[in-house]
Amino acid sequence: MVGIMKKIITDSAANLNVTALNGIEHQSVGLTLICGEKVFLDGADFDQAEFDKFIENSSTEIKSSCPSVESYLAAIGDADEVYIFTISSALSGSYNTAQTAKKMILEEDPNRKIHVFDTKAAGPAERMAAVKASELLNEGGDFSEVVTQVQAYIDHLKIFFSLQSLTNLANNGRINKTVAKLAGVLKINVLGWANEEGKIEQLGKARGAKRAYQSLVDTLVKHNFNSKKVVIDHANNEKGALALKGLIQAKYPDCQIEIGICTALCSFYAEKGGLMVGCTVNGEK
Protein backbone atom coordinates (compact mmCIF):
# COMPACT_ATOMS: atom_id res chain seq x y z
CA MET A 1 0.00 0.00 0.00
CA VAL A 2 1.37 3.39 -0.99
CA GLY A 3 1.66 5.80 1.94
CA ILE A 4 -0.24 9.06 2.10
CA MET A 5 1.89 12.00 1.07
CA LYS A 6 1.58 14.75 3.67
CA LYS A 7 2.90 18.28 3.19
CA ILE A 8 3.09 21.56 5.08
CA ILE A 9 3.19 24.80 3.09
CA THR A 10 3.90 28.26 4.46
CA ASP A 11 4.12 31.53 2.62
CA SER A 12 7.45 33.29 2.97
CA ALA A 13 6.17 35.59 5.72
CA ALA A 14 6.86 32.66 8.07
CA ASN A 15 10.63 33.18 7.70
CA LEU A 16 11.02 29.47 7.06
CA ASN A 17 13.29 28.15 4.31
CA VAL A 18 13.57 24.44 5.12
CA THR A 19 12.57 21.30 3.19
CA ALA A 20 11.11 19.50 6.20
CA LEU A 21 9.52 20.22 9.59
CA ASN A 22 10.09 17.42 12.08
CA GLY A 23 10.32 15.00 9.17
CA ILE A 24 7.18 16.31 7.39
CA GLU A 25 7.80 17.73 3.91
CA HIS A 26 7.68 21.51 3.83
CA GLN A 27 7.69 24.12 1.08
CA SER A 28 7.72 27.90 1.25
CA VAL A 29 5.72 29.90 -1.28
CA GLY A 30 7.25 33.30 -1.93
CA LEU A 31 5.69 36.71 -1.65
CA THR A 32 7.39 39.35 -3.79
CA LEU A 33 8.79 42.83 -3.32
CA ILE A 34 8.26 45.10 -6.33
CA CYS A 35 10.12 48.29 -7.15
CA GLY A 36 9.06 49.68 -10.52
CA GLU A 37 9.86 47.00 -13.11
CA LYS A 38 12.12 45.07 -10.74
CA VAL A 39 10.65 42.09 -8.88
CA PHE A 40 12.36 40.33 -5.97
CA LEU A 41 11.00 36.93 -4.92
CA ASP A 42 11.20 36.17 -1.20
CA GLY A 43 12.84 32.77 -1.09
CA ALA A 44 16.03 30.86 -0.39
CA ASP A 45 17.75 32.62 -3.33
CA PHE A 46 16.84 36.15 -2.25
CA ASP A 47 19.93 38.36 -2.33
CA GLN A 48 19.59 40.84 0.53
CA ALA A 49 22.72 42.75 -0.50
CA GLU A 50 21.48 43.16 -4.08
CA PHE A 51 18.08 44.29 -2.83
CA ASP A 52 19.57 46.81 -0.40
CA LYS A 53 21.81 48.22 -3.13
CA PHE A 54 18.93 48.46 -5.58
CA ILE A 55 16.56 50.33 -3.25
CA GLU A 56 19.39 52.63 -2.15
CA ASN A 57 19.62 53.91 -5.71
CA SER A 58 15.88 54.00 -6.36
CA SER A 59 13.34 56.67 -5.47
CA THR A 60 10.41 54.42 -6.37
CA GLU A 61 8.26 53.18 -3.47
CA ILE A 62 8.50 49.44 -2.93
CA LYS A 63 5.34 47.38 -2.77
CA SER A 64 4.74 43.79 -1.77
CA SER A 65 2.63 41.24 -3.61
CA CYS A 66 1.09 37.98 -2.45
CA PRO A 67 1.93 34.61 -4.04
CA SER A 68 0.06 33.66 -7.20
CA VAL A 69 -2.52 30.88 -7.36
CA GLU A 70 -0.12 29.06 -9.69
CA SER A 71 2.65 29.09 -7.08
CA TYR A 72 0.32 27.49 -4.55
CA LEU A 73 -0.84 24.90 -7.08
CA ALA A 74 2.78 24.03 -7.80
CA ALA A 75 3.60 23.76 -4.10
CA ILE A 76 0.64 21.49 -3.38
CA GLY A 77 1.62 19.28 -6.29
CA ASP A 78 0.53 15.66 -5.87
CA ALA A 79 0.35 15.70 -2.08
CA ASP A 80 -2.67 13.89 -0.61
CA GLU A 81 -2.88 15.78 2.67
CA VAL A 82 -1.85 19.43 2.77
CA TYR A 83 -1.72 22.05 5.52
CA ILE A 84 -1.19 25.63 4.32
CA PHE A 85 -0.29 28.53 6.62
CA THR A 86 -0.51 32.14 5.48
CA ILE A 87 0.22 35.59 6.78
CA SER A 88 -2.85 37.39 8.16
CA SER A 89 -5.53 37.84 5.50
CA ALA A 90 -5.93 41.40 6.80
CA LEU A 91 -2.39 42.17 5.60
CA SER A 92 -2.09 40.19 2.36
CA GLY A 93 -4.03 38.32 -0.31
CA SER A 94 -1.95 35.19 0.32
CA TYR A 95 -4.78 33.46 2.20
CA ASN A 96 -7.27 34.13 -0.61
CA THR A 97 -4.97 32.85 -3.37
CA ALA A 98 -4.24 29.71 -1.33
CA GLN A 99 -7.98 29.16 -0.92
CA THR A 100 -8.46 29.54 -4.67
CA ALA A 101 -5.75 26.95 -5.34
CA LYS A 102 -7.39 24.59 -2.85
CA LYS A 103 -10.79 24.99 -4.52
CA MET A 104 -9.36 24.31 -7.98
CA ILE A 105 -7.68 21.10 -6.85
CA LEU A 106 -10.67 19.77 -4.90
CA GLU A 107 -12.97 20.39 -7.86
CA GLU A 108 -10.84 17.93 -9.83
CA ASP A 109 -10.19 15.50 -7.00
CA PRO A 110 -12.57 15.79 -4.00
CA ASN A 111 -10.75 12.98 -2.17
CA ARG A 112 -7.67 15.05 -1.48
CA LYS A 113 -7.43 16.83 1.86
CA ILE A 114 -6.30 20.47 1.95
CA HIS A 115 -6.76 23.06 4.67
CA VAL A 116 -5.70 26.70 4.60
CA PHE A 117 -5.05 28.43 7.92
CA ASP A 118 -5.26 32.19 8.24
CA THR A 119 -2.78 32.63 11.10
CA LYS A 120 -3.84 36.27 11.57
CA ALA A 121 -0.15 36.83 12.21
CA ALA A 122 3.22 36.65 10.46
CA GLY A 123 6.86 35.75 11.04
CA PRO A 124 7.55 33.66 14.14
CA ALA A 125 3.87 33.17 15.05
CA GLU A 126 3.05 31.83 11.57
CA ARG A 127 6.04 29.51 11.83
CA MET A 128 4.97 28.28 15.27
CA ALA A 129 1.62 27.21 13.84
CA ALA A 130 3.30 25.21 11.07
CA VAL A 131 5.64 23.54 13.57
CA LYS A 132 2.64 22.63 15.73
CA ALA A 133 1.06 20.87 12.76
CA SER A 134 4.23 18.85 12.16
CA GLU A 135 4.29 17.77 15.80
CA LEU A 136 0.65 16.65 15.70
CA LEU A 137 1.25 14.73 12.47
CA ASN A 138 4.17 12.94 14.09
CA GLU A 139 1.87 11.99 16.95
CA GLY A 140 -0.35 10.23 14.43
CA GLY A 141 -3.23 12.71 14.28
CA ASP A 142 -5.59 12.34 11.35
CA PHE A 143 -6.48 15.25 9.07
CA SER A 144 -9.56 16.50 10.93
CA GLU A 145 -7.88 16.17 14.33
CA VAL A 146 -4.82 18.10 13.19
CA VAL A 147 -6.94 20.85 11.64
CA THR A 148 -9.03 21.24 14.80
CA GLN A 149 -6.05 21.26 17.16
CA VAL A 150 -3.95 23.61 15.04
CA GLN A 151 -6.84 26.06 14.74
CA ALA A 152 -7.27 25.99 18.53
CA TYR A 153 -3.53 26.70 18.82
CA ILE A 154 -3.75 29.60 16.37
CA ASP A 155 -6.64 31.06 18.37
CA HIS A 156 -4.18 31.59 21.25
CA LEU A 157 -1.21 32.57 19.08
CA LYS A 158 -0.02 36.18 19.08
CA ILE A 159 2.58 38.28 17.30
CA PHE A 160 4.06 41.35 18.99
CA PHE A 161 6.71 43.66 17.62
CA SER A 162 9.08 46.51 18.35
CA LEU A 163 9.96 48.61 15.31
CA GLN A 164 12.44 51.45 14.89
CA SER A 165 10.90 52.60 11.60
CA LEU A 166 7.38 52.38 10.18
CA THR A 167 8.11 53.83 6.73
CA ASN A 168 7.53 50.70 4.67
CA LEU A 169 4.39 49.72 6.59
CA ALA A 170 2.99 53.21 6.01
CA ASN A 171 3.92 53.28 2.31
CA ASN A 172 2.02 50.03 1.81
CA GLY A 173 -1.10 51.17 3.64
CA ARG A 174 -0.64 48.95 6.68
CA ILE A 175 -0.57 51.85 9.15
CA ASN A 176 -1.27 55.57 9.19
CA LYS A 177 1.45 57.66 7.48
CA THR A 178 1.16 60.44 10.05
CA VAL A 179 1.89 57.98 12.87
CA ALA A 180 4.90 56.64 10.93
CA LYS A 181 6.29 60.11 10.25
CA LEU A 182 5.88 61.18 13.86
CA ALA A 183 7.68 58.06 15.10
CA GLY A 184 10.57 58.81 12.76
CA VAL A 185 10.86 62.43 13.84
CA LEU A 186 10.78 61.55 17.54
CA LYS A 187 13.14 58.56 17.03
CA ILE A 188 10.99 56.25 19.11
CA ASN A 189 10.42 52.51 19.05
CA VAL A 190 6.83 51.62 18.29
CA LEU A 191 5.32 48.60 20.03
CA GLY A 192 2.40 46.77 18.52
CA TRP A 193 0.73 43.52 17.62
CA ALA A 194 -1.59 41.88 15.14
CA ASN A 195 -4.96 42.14 16.87
CA GLU A 196 -7.77 39.57 16.92
CA GLU A 197 -8.67 40.53 13.35
CA GLY A 198 -5.07 40.17 12.23
CA LYS A 199 -4.64 43.91 11.67
CA ILE A 200 -1.58 45.82 12.86
CA GLU A 201 -2.34 47.87 15.94
CA GLN A 202 -0.08 50.12 17.98
CA LEU A 203 0.16 49.24 21.67
CA GLY A 204 2.64 51.84 22.83
CA LYS A 205 5.97 53.53 22.23
CA ALA A 206 9.31 53.80 23.95
CA ARG A 207 12.37 55.96 23.54
CA GLY A 208 15.47 53.78 23.29
CA ALA A 209 15.93 50.05 22.76
CA LYS A 210 16.20 49.08 26.45
CA ARG A 211 12.85 50.63 27.30
CA ALA A 212 11.28 49.11 24.21
CA TYR A 213 12.39 45.60 25.12
CA GLN A 214 11.22 45.95 28.71
CA SER A 215 7.90 47.26 27.39
CA LEU A 216 7.64 44.14 25.20
CA VAL A 217 8.03 41.94 28.27
CA ASP A 218 5.38 44.01 30.08
CA THR A 219 3.14 43.54 27.04
CA LEU A 220 3.51 39.75 27.26
CA VAL A 221 2.43 39.89 30.90
CA LYS A 222 -0.54 42.13 30.10
CA HIS A 223 -1.77 39.79 27.38
CA ASN A 224 -1.63 36.66 29.54
CA PHE A 225 1.46 35.03 28.02
CA ASN A 226 1.40 31.38 29.10
CA SER A 227 5.19 31.33 29.76
CA LYS A 228 5.79 28.23 27.61
CA LYS A 229 7.54 29.33 24.43
CA VAL A 230 8.67 32.50 22.67
CA VAL A 231 10.11 32.79 19.17
CA ILE A 232 11.92 36.04 18.35
CA ASP A 233 12.75 36.95 14.74
CA HIS A 234 15.01 39.92 14.16
CA ALA A 235 15.78 42.19 11.22
CA ASN A 236 19.55 42.56 11.41
CA ASN A 237 19.38 42.97 15.19
CA GLU A 238 20.71 39.85 16.89
CA LYS A 239 21.97 41.95 19.78
CA GLY A 240 18.46 43.22 20.44
CA ALA A 241 16.98 39.74 20.15
CA LEU A 242 19.46 38.42 22.73
CA ALA A 243 18.74 41.35 25.05
CA LEU A 244 15.01 40.66 24.83
CA LYS A 245 15.62 36.94 25.40
CA GLY A 246 17.49 37.77 28.61
CA LEU A 247 14.65 39.93 29.89
CA ILE A 248 12.05 37.26 29.13
CA GLN A 249 14.14 34.56 30.81
CA ALA A 250 14.50 36.73 33.91
CA LYS A 251 10.69 36.99 34.11
CA TYR A 252 9.90 33.45 32.93
CA PRO A 253 12.86 31.17 33.85
CA ASP A 254 11.28 28.01 32.40
CA CYS A 255 10.29 29.58 29.08
CA GLN A 256 11.70 28.03 25.90
CA ILE A 257 13.07 30.82 23.70
CA GLU A 258 14.20 30.56 20.08
CA ILE A 259 15.79 33.27 17.95
CA GLY A 260 15.39 33.42 14.18
CA ILE A 261 16.08 35.80 11.32
CA CYS A 262 13.54 37.77 9.30
CA THR A 263 13.71 36.88 5.63
CA ALA A 264 12.99 39.31 2.79
CA LEU A 265 9.34 40.27 3.36
CA CYS A 266 9.49 40.51 7.15
CA SER A 267 12.84 42.32 6.97
CA PHE A 268 11.27 44.83 4.61
CA TYR A 269 8.34 45.58 6.91
CA ALA A 270 10.10 45.24 10.27
CA GLU A 271 12.99 47.31 8.84
CA LYS A 272 16.49 47.34 10.31
CA GLY A 273 16.47 46.78 14.05
CA GLY A 274 12.92 45.45 14.20
CA LEU A 275 11.95 42.53 16.43
CA MET A 276 8.96 40.21 15.93
CA VAL A 277 7.84 38.08 18.87
CA GLY A 278 5.59 35.04 18.58
CA CYS A 279 3.99 33.33 21.60
CA THR A 280 0.80 31.74 22.87
CA VAL A 281 -1.45 33.27 25.51
CA ASN A 282 -4.10 32.07 27.93
CA GLY A 283 -7.46 33.43 26.82
CA GLU A 284 -7.95 37.03 25.70
CA LYS A 285 -6.97 40.27 27.35
Side-chain angles (χ1 to χ4, degrees), residues 128 153 156-158 160 193 216-232 244-245 247-258 277-285:
M128 288 171 73
Y153 182 78
H156 292 88
L157 194 58
K158 300 297 176 188
F160 299 95
W193 72 333
L216 269 177
V217 177
D218 296 340
T219 298
L220 295 182
V221 176
K222 180 180 179 182
H223 289 272
N224 294 331
F225 170 50
N226 64 14
S227 77
K228 293 179 180 178
K229 181 179 180 181
V230 166
V231 180
I232 306 167
L244 178 60
K245 177 181 178 179
L247 289 172
I248 295 173
Q249 283 182 325
K251 181 72 177 178
Y252 302 99
D254 297 325
C255 180
Q256 178 189 349
I257 304 175
E258 297 175 8
V277 182
C279 66
T280 49
V281 299
N282 293 317
E284 298 295 343
K285 181 74 176 179

Side-chain angles (χ1 to χ4, degrees), residues 10-271:
T10 57
D11 63 30
S12 60
N15 299 330
L16 187 62
N17 285 318
V18 297
T19 57
L21 280 176
N22 293 314
I24 308 298
E25 185 177 352
H26 168 263
Q27 186 168 339
S28 176
V29 175
L31 288 95
T32 53
L33 295 172
I34 303 167
C35 184
E37 300 296 317
K38 187 75 171 178
V39 177
F40 295 87
L41 177 66
D42 185 4
D45 298 328
F46 179 82
D47 190 327
Q48 187 71 52
E50 180 194 356
F51 177 73
D52 291 343
K53 185 177 180 181
F54 182 85
I55 63 174
E56 201 176 291
N57 298 313
S58 175
S59 58
T60 305
E61 281 189 2
I62 301 166
K63 302 293 183 181
S64 59
S65 179
C66 68
S68 65
V69 174
E70 290 73 22
S71 62
Y72 272 116
L73 290 172
I76 294 168
D78 297 325
D80 304 293
E81 194 173 302
V82 184
Y83 305 84
I84 304 174
F85 297 85
T86 76
I87 185 174
S88 171
S89 61
L91 302 176
S92 168
S94 184
Y95 174 77
N96 289 332
T97 53
Q99 285 282 32
T100 300
K102 167 189 171 179
K103 182 180 178 182
M104 291 170 66
I105 289 174
L106 294 184
E107 282 176 350
E108 289 192 7
D109 186 356
N111 293 319
R112 294 172 74 180
K113 297 177 179 178
I114 304 170
H115 190 84
V116 183
F117 295 94
D118 176 0
T119 66
K120 295 187 178 180
E126 182 181 338
R127 187 161 74 256
M128 288 171 73
V131 170
K132 182 67 173 179
S134 70
E135 293 170 350
L136 292 169
L137 288 169
N138 279 326
E139 291 171 5
D142 65 25
F143 182 74
S144 60
E145 289 173 339
V146 172
V147 168
T148 299
Q149 291 184 56
V150 169
Q151 187 56 59
Y153 182 78
I154 289 173
D155 289 343
H156 292 88
L157 194 58
K158 300 297 176 188
I159 180 78
F160 299 95
F161 56 79
S162 172
L163 305 181
Q164 296 178 9
S165 172
L166 304 175
T167 302
N168 293 335
L169 282 170
N171 287 344
N172 281 267
R174 304 302 191 268
I175 62 166
N176 186 284
K177 284 194 174 186
T178 303
V179 172
K181 188 173 182 180
L182 186 61
V185 170
L186 298 177
K187 298 188 183 304
I188 58 175
N189 291 263
V190 174
L191 308 172
W193 72 333
N195 63 21
E196 284 78 7
E197 297 176 353
K199 296 179 180 178
I200 292 175
E201 184 175 282
Q202 183 178 336
L203 294 176
K205 53 185 180 290
R207 192 179 295 276
K210 287 185 179 180
R211 289 183 181 178
Y213 302 156
Q214 184 57 58
S215 293
L216 269 177
V217 177
D218 296 340
T219 298
L220 295 182
V221 176
K222 180 180 179 182
H223 289 272
N224 294 331
F225 170 50
N226 64 14
S227 77
K228 293 179 180 178
K229 181 179 180 181
V230 166
V231 180
I232 306 167
D233 283 355
H234 67 88
N236 197 22
N237 188 13
E238 184 179 15
K239 181 180 178 181
L242 289 170
L244 178 60
K245 177 181 178 179
L247 289 172
I248 295 173
Q249 283 182 325
K251 181 72 177 178
Y252 302 99
D254 297 325
C255 180
Q256 178 189 349
I257 304 175
E258 297 175 8
I259 294 178
I261 299 172
C262 291
T263 55
L265 184 92
C266 285
S267 283
F268 174 69
Y269 282 116
E271 299 194 53

